[in-house]
């Protein structure tokens, strides 16, 4: 099931070929990668971009592990650009790429390359990431599903949909799960293993005992 995110898709379309790194930010599991690799790519494909002119690296995929090295990633991208047509560079979980700021700024010197990145560590949840690109970063910040987006895939009444939305929220994966037990389990795991980790990293928390108590609640 595909959940359309037209507002954010239009933001990406408007930012296309603006000579900046498009940095897609937002909380974990809110749909950043799906927006880029599915919705935006489909739009570009339908408007004349062929598969050869997409360059995609998902740094959390074991198959792409060697490209976490800065020179390997840069040389791979450069080797793929063999004509003067527009290329679209999609990089997922870019925080796993060493010296990623320098690599991305290097890509900006390629005249027919348009660069888009997502990331999931604490740095990408803050405004700090934009400063790394020295005025050449364009942030597209996305949120979990709005109620109207939620209702576009919800089969019940508006009243029942609202009750479920305010209970479980709008993370796309939660919306697509069927049982209340699965939804609650997913949210608990995300909170305990993901968001708490980001809070500790972002704020350099040394004494995590109180946060650990929250994980066990």
């Amino acid at each position: 099931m595909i959940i359309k995110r037209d507002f954010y898709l239009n933001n990406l379309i408007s930012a296309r070929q603006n000579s900046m790194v498009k940095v897609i930010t937002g909380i974990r599991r809110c749909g950043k990668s799906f927006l880029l690799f599915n919705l935006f790519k489909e739009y570009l494909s339908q408007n004349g971009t062929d598969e050869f002119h997409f360059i995609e690296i998902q740094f959390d995929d074991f198959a792409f592990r060697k490209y976490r090295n800065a020179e390997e990633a840069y040389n791979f991208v450069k080797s793929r650009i063999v004509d003067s047509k527009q290329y679209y560079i999609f990089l997922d979980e870019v925080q796993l790429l060493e010296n990623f700021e320098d690599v991305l700024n290097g890509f900006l010197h390629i005249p027919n390359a348009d660069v888009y990145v997502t990331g999931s560590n604490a740095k990408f949840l803050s405004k700090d990431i934009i400063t790394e690109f020295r005025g050449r970063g364009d942030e597209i910040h996305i949120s979990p599903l709005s109620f109207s987006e939620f209702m576009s895939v919800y089969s019940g009444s508006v009243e029942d949909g609202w009750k479920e939305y305010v209970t479980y929220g709008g993370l796309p994966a939660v919306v697509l799960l069927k049982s209340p037990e699965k939804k609650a389990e997913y949210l608990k795991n995300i909170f305990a293993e993901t968001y708490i980790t980001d809070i500790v990293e972002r704020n350099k928390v040394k004494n995590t005992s109180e946060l650990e108590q929250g994980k066990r609640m």
Side-chain angles (χ1 to χ4, degrees):
M1 182 184 298
I2 295 178
I3 304 175
K4 294 184 178 180
R5 311 297 305 273
D6 289 343
F7 175 79
Y8 302 112
L9 176 58
N10 288 332
N11 284 345
L12 276 180
I13 294 169
S14 297
R16 187 172 48 154
Q17 300 176 30
N18 66 357
S19 301
M20 295 185 179
V21 177
K22 272 64 72 176
V23 184
I24 304 173
T25 63
I27 64 173
R28 293 181 189 259
R29 306 295 187 266
C30 68
K32 299 185 295 293
S33 298
F34 188 81
L35 172 68
L36 180 59
F37 286 85
N38 295 84
L39 300 179
F40 186 53
K41 183 179 179 180
E42 180 183 15
Y43 168 84
L44 293 173
S45 297
Q46 291 177 348
N47 285 272
T49 303
D50 61 71
E51 188 67 30
F52 182 78
H53 289 85
F54 292 106
I55 303 173
E56 304 174 39
I57 304 177
Q58 295 173 309
F59 289 105
D60 62 339
D61 187 331
F62 185 74
F64 292 100
R65 65 193 182 281
K66 74 175 183 178
Y67 298 121
R68 296 171 190 170
N69 174 271
E71 288 193 14
E72 289 279 1
Y74 184 80
N75 290 335
F76 169 71
V77 170
K78 287 281 288 184
S79 72
R80 287 285 310 276
I81 299 176
V82 296
D83 59 40
S84 60
K85 292 183 179 180
Q86 185 68 51
Y87 285 79
Y88 292 90
I89 303 172
F90 293 170
L91 306 177
D92 195 31
E93 302 293 350
V94 76
Q95 77 279 353
L96 297 175
L97 168 63
E98 66 179 19
N99 301 320
F100 68 84
E101 300 95 337
D102 289 338
V103 176
L104 296 178
N105 278 307
F107 290 155
L108 290 178
H109 293 285
I110 303 172
N112 58 331
D114 201 17
V115 185
Y116 301 78
V117 306
T118 77
S120 292
N121 68 345
K123 194 173 196 178
F124 273 80
L125 301 179
S126 73
K127 293 292 184 181
D128 295 351
I129 188 61
I130 295 301
T131 66
E132 302 290 348
F133 299 112
R134 308 178 189 117
R136 301 190 71 183
D138 185 5
E139 181 182 22
I140 288 87
H141 184 79
I142 77 172
S143 301
L145 301 179
S146 66
F147 183 58
S148 62
E149 290 170 332
F150 170 87
M151 286 303 299
S152 72
V153 295
Y154 184 75
S155 58
S157 68
V158 174
E159 292 77 10
D160 289 341
W162 178 249
K163 291 177 183 177
E164 183 153 333
Y165 182 75
V166 298
T167 300
Y168 299 109
L171 293 181
V174 178
V175 172
L176 297 176
L177 291 171
K178 299 301 181 183
S179 72
E181 293 78 14
K182 290 292 185 181
K183 293 175 186 287
E185 180 183 7
Y186 179 86
L187 288 171
K188 182 178 179 180
N189 289 337
I190 286 293
F191 176 76
E193 304 303 330
T194 303
Y195 294 143
I196 292 296
T197 301
D198 285 334
I199 291 170
V200 170
E201 180 182 344
R202 172 76 182 125
N203 296 283
K204 298 181 174 58
V205 177
K206 297 186 182 300
N207 184 358
T208 62
S209 58
E210 292 185 4
L211 290 174
E212 292 292 330
Q213 289 178 5
K215 289 170 62 175
R216 294 191 291 268
M217 292 179 62

